[in-house]
Amino acid sequence: MKEIIISSNTSWYLYNFRKNTILSLIKEGFSITALAPRDDYSEKLELLGVTFIDISIEQGGTNPVKDIKTFIEFNKVYSSGQYDVVLNFTPKNNIYSTLAAKINNIKVINNIAGLGILFINESVTSKIARLLYKISQRSADKIFFQNEDDKKLFLEHNLANESITARLPGSGVDLSRFEVIPSQDDGVVRFLLIARMLYDKGIGHYVEAARALKAKYGNNVEFNLLGFLAVENPSAVSEVEMQSWVDEGIVNYLGVSDEVEKEIAKVDCMVLPSFYREGVPKSLLEAGAMGKPIVTTDNVGCRETVNDGVNGFLCVPRSTQSLIDKLELIIQMSHEERLTMGLKSREKIENEFDESIVINCYLDAIKEVLEK
């Protein structure tokens, strides 16, 4: 039996974003080990039939000592000689797990799900990260990208050989779990933003737009936020900031949820005004699958989810006024028009982002690298 490691910077990610991939690999006869920091989802992974190994990864930090420790921990696991292929997700895993795996002659398949500020920022940290990407990714056996922009950027910077690169439709979406559920027609237009609460995700612009539109439309509009708050990131929204917006009456903060479909079902439109270099945002795929119109930025990763004017609208990144204008187009539609636009989202997701496409690509890639 071939032994596969699936590696990420949180157990939460593996369970919520890669659960069906894991189950499919197990069904195909592979033995799966999950390698991630222990959190509330580690036991849930074990219940799937996965062996779990705890590893220390500082998600948003840039402490070189902690990163070296992470690399040493990866190497300690891989030096056992029992693993055949490693599937890496999230940035530090793509770098340090790849380096450790290749030292131990393990095949590596990486997933580049967005590049954040890596190629925008010219700080010393970003330059070091780019160098580490260059060293590590040249050792990978297969690299999946979630959008063409990131793939092009990698090739332009000579970070990977084109022959081992391929494009995936994001992380895909489970079309059976995320079914079309129309919102209720009660005169209130409800918006939802699901993401880590980071200013880079456009949270500030969303709040400013909510403030302006609440002033104009009052209780006929509602703005909701769902996702991790006060995370380990320089761009994080604090608990105090969030509470001040809630107290002001312009947004509702819904916390976090393992059943996001219940919240998506209630709303008329999904919003993500991100100016971060996204892969393809999972929240937009899930909302589209549930038949919701999407308002997002004409930005890397985000624009892939919208045919402008068909299943939603694209706004200008970092422009609150552009976001207000697009949200107002949604508000001024009839309920039936919003539902019709949402069905176009479902159609797009079915055609382009079915999770089964992603899973089959992984099965083919594993077979390919094992035959090398």
Side-chain angles (χ1 to χ4, degrees), residues 81-342:
Q82 69 186 85
Y83 302 107
D84 300 288
V85 182
V86 178
L87 311 183
N88 291 316
F89 301 91
T90 64
K92 289 193 177 182
N93 300 69
N94 283 331
I95 293 172
Y96 300 115
S97 172
T98 298
L99 292 171
K102 296 318 289 185
I103 289 172
N104 292 285
N105 296 314
I106 300 170
K107 301 293 186 181
V108 175
I109 300 172
N110 288 338
N111 187 301
I112 307 296
L115 293 168
I117 59 171
L118 189 60
F119 289 88
I120 300 170
N121 194 331
E122 284 302 318
S123 69
V124 173
T125 301
S126 289
K127 288 178 179 178
I128 292 171
R130 288 202 291 268
L131 177 62
L132 289 170
Y133 259 112
K134 191 168 192 173
I135 295 168
S136 61
Q137 299 318 290
R138 285 181 168 181
S139 298
D141 296 280
K142 189 80 175 181
I143 304 175
F144 285 123
F145 294 89
Q146 296 194 7
N147 60 67
E148 284 298 327
D149 295 87
D150 286 350
K151 180 181 174 183
K152 183 180 177 183
L153 204 56
F154 254 60
L155 296 178
E156 284 178 354
H157 284 79
N158 200 26
L159 300 183
N161 298 318
E162 187 169 10
S163 61
I164 65 165
T165 65
R167 163 85 188 279
L168 285 178
S171 51
V173 62
D174 183 344
L175 296 175
S176 59
R177 176 184 170 190
F178 294 91
E179 301 176 301
V180 175
I181 301 179
S183 60
Q184 58 183 340
D185 185 9
D186 61 359
V188 180
V189 181
R190 294 176 174 86
F191 296 98
L192 175 62
L193 189 161
I194 301 178
R196 287 178 297 155
M197 296 294 110
L198 304 177
Y199 281 103
D200 289 347
K201 299 281 187 179
I203 304 297
H205 296 293
Y206 181 75
V207 171
E208 289 171 17
R211 184 179 286 117
L213 292 167
K214 287 287 281 186
K216 184 172 182 178
Y217 294 97
N219 292 330
N220 291 324
V221 291
E222 181 180 296
F223 294 87
N224 301 287
L225 289 161
L226 189 152
F228 290 103
L229 180 62
V231 297
E232 183 188 314
N233 190 291
S235 174
V237 174
S238 71
E239 292 177 1
V240 172
E241 287 169 317
M242 182 63 72
Q243 192 58 52
S244 72
W245 298 333
V246 172
D247 292 343
E248 189 182 341
I250 51 175
V251 297
N252 301 318
Y253 176 58
L254 307 176
V256 295
S257 174
D258 289 340
E259 298 177 310
V260 294
E261 60 269 35
K262 291 183 178 179
E263 299 302 333
I264 296 171
K266 299 173 188 175
V267 304
D268 299 280
C269 178
M270 179 64 75
V271 187
L272 187 65
S274 176
F275 47 88
Y276 188 85
R277 279 196 75 100
E278 302 283 354
V280 176
K282 191 79 165 180
S283 64
L284 299 185
L285 298 181
E286 292 169 347
M290 293 187 70
K292 307 297 177 180
I294 295 167
V295 173
T296 190
T297 44
D298 188 6
N299 185 37
V300 176
C302 296
R303 66 172 73 99
E304 274 76 7
T305 65
V306 173
N307 296 334
D308 196 25
V310 177
N311 71 306
F313 299 106
L314 295 174
C315 62
V316 178
R318 300 178 188 264
S319 170
T320 299
Q321 188 56 54
S322 178
L323 177 60
I324 290 170
D325 293 343
K326 302 305 182 182
L327 295 180
E328 199 154 23
L329 290 174
I330 296 289
I331 293 168
Q332 291 173 352
M333 286 180 174
S334 69
H335 185 67
E336 285 302 318
E337 286 171 332
R338 287 191 290 269
L339 294 182
T340 299
M341 179 172 266

